[in-house]
Amino acid sequence: AQTVTQSQPEMSVQEAETVTLSCTYDTSESDYYLFWYKQPPSRQMILVIRQEAYKQQNATENRFSVNFQKAAKSFSLKISDSQLGDAAMYFCALGVETSGSRLTFGEGTQLTVNP
Amino acid sequence: ETGVTQTPRHLVMGMTNKKSLKCEQHLGHNAMYWYKQSAKKPLELMFVYNFKEQTENNSVPSRFSPECPNSSLLNLHLHALQPEDSALYLCASSQEQGFEQFFGPGTRLTVL
């Protein structure tokens, strides 16, 4: 079975500052994928970034980057130059090959961006 | 229409009503999903369909009945719901083994 844990129910950051959201996971599989999804007040879930476990290089997408520590089973999301529009619930998710296309989601971290 | 669409966006129903939620994906994907999102709980996967066939049912009560007429459409028929079924219902789709799931805007369901 797979588990995903987000230990920070809430985080806040000042506009233009950097914030890191934590995620740890557990799986016995060697082939898997990790994702960060964003859910703003509109409730639309939006894919932020994706990381394949076999890739050592950390994924980046504009102001969003991850710190993937495979041995520690850690997958944190760093948001640089935070903007008011980044305020949302952020979910970490894990997908493994043997589970087909099923994803396991964490409980989410509510990010507030202060002007 | 692009992406994943869901109708209606809001639904209020009584415990004796029968209603349906509709989801359509315009992405050419082969897998579709229903999730339930309740306050202060993780997303709960309800059903998975691959190539129109149901491949997963996570012990969902029979008052929820999914239907997949084709690989682009996924319905969720609701009957005799309970107040605790009030939640945001999210539909998503993905390539069969692509893992990246694309979500619809959700239906906010309230059961009175």
Side-chain angles (χ1 to χ4, degrees):
Chain A
Q2 283 64 239
T3 60
V4 176
T5 302
Q6 293 178 249
S7 58
Q8 306 153 316
E10 297 176 352
M11 291 281 285
S12 63
V13 63
Q14 290 296 123
E15 197 175 2
E17 301 278 301
T18 296
V19 64
T20 299
L21 308 184
S22 301
C23 173
T24 57
Y25 61 93
D26 192 28
T27 178
S28 57
E29 303 293 330
S30 56
D31 289 328
Y32 54 89
Y33 300 77
L34 293 157
F35 305 89
W36 278 98
Y37 281 89
K38 167 185 176 180
Q39 188 178 38
S42 68
R43 311 302 277 174
Q44 176 87 51
M45 292 276 280
I46 302 164
L47 178 67
V48 174
I49 201 163
R50 163 193 170 126
Q51 174 81 44
E52 290 89 343
Y54 65 85
K55 289 187 177 179
Q56 293 185 335
Q57 186 173 7
N58 289 324
T60 62
E61 193 70 41
N62 300 315
R63 297 181 296 106
F64 297 87
S65 61
V66 298
N67 184 3
F68 174 47
Q69 301 289 326
K70 191 171 183 179
K73 294 184 178 174
S74 170
F75 183 61
S76 60
L77 175 70
K78 185 171 85 171
I79 306 174
S80 304
D81 185 25
S82 297
Q83 300 176 0
L84 295 178
D86 295 333
M89 181 73 87
Y90 286 82
F91 292 95
C92 179
L94 166 68
V96 301
E97 290 279 353
T98 54
S99 295
S101 45
R102 190 187 202 283
L103 292 180
T104 302
F105 284 85
E107 296 189 5
T109 297
Q110 181 67 52
L111 178 66
T112 300
V113 181
N114 300 309
Chain B
E1 294 280 14
T2 59
V4 181
T5 57
Q6 290 185 243
T7 56
R9 295 294 306 277
H10 301 272
L11 178 62
V12 179
M13 60 187 290
M15 289 190 283
T16 59
N17 292 157
K18 285 185 180 180
K19 296 287 184 183
S20 297
L21 308 185
K22 297 184 185 300
C23 175
E24 184 171 10
Q25 57 94 1
H26 309 267
L27 301 168
H29 290 163
N30 298 312
M32 296 187 74
Y33 314 78
W34 278 115
Y35 289 89
K36 176 183 178 183
Q37 188 177 28
S38 305
K40 302 188 185 302
K41 286 187 177 181
L43 270 73
E44 299 173 54
L45 180 64
M46 301 174 72
F47 302 104
V48 181
Y49 277 78
N50 267 308
F51 292 97
K52 302 191 302 178
E53 298 299 319
Q54 187 180 120
T55 56
E56 192 158 346
N57 175 341
N58 280 326
S59 304
V60 179
S62 60
R63 57 186 184 268
F64 295 91
S65 174
E67 178 200 14
C68 191
N70 60 58
S71 58
S72 298
L73 291 171
L74 184 62
N75 300 320
L76 188 62
H77 303 297
L78 314 173
H79 174 55
L81 295 192
Q82 304 297 310
E84 58 265 29
D85 296 322
S86 298
L88 181 70
Y89 288 84
L90 292 166
C91 174
S93 70
S94 71
Q95 288 293 345
E96 184 189 0
Q97 295 292 334
F99 297 106
E100 289 170 48
Q101 293 183 16
F102 294 81
F103 286 80
T107 295
R108 172 66 66 186
L109 174 66
T110 302
V111 181
L112 301 176

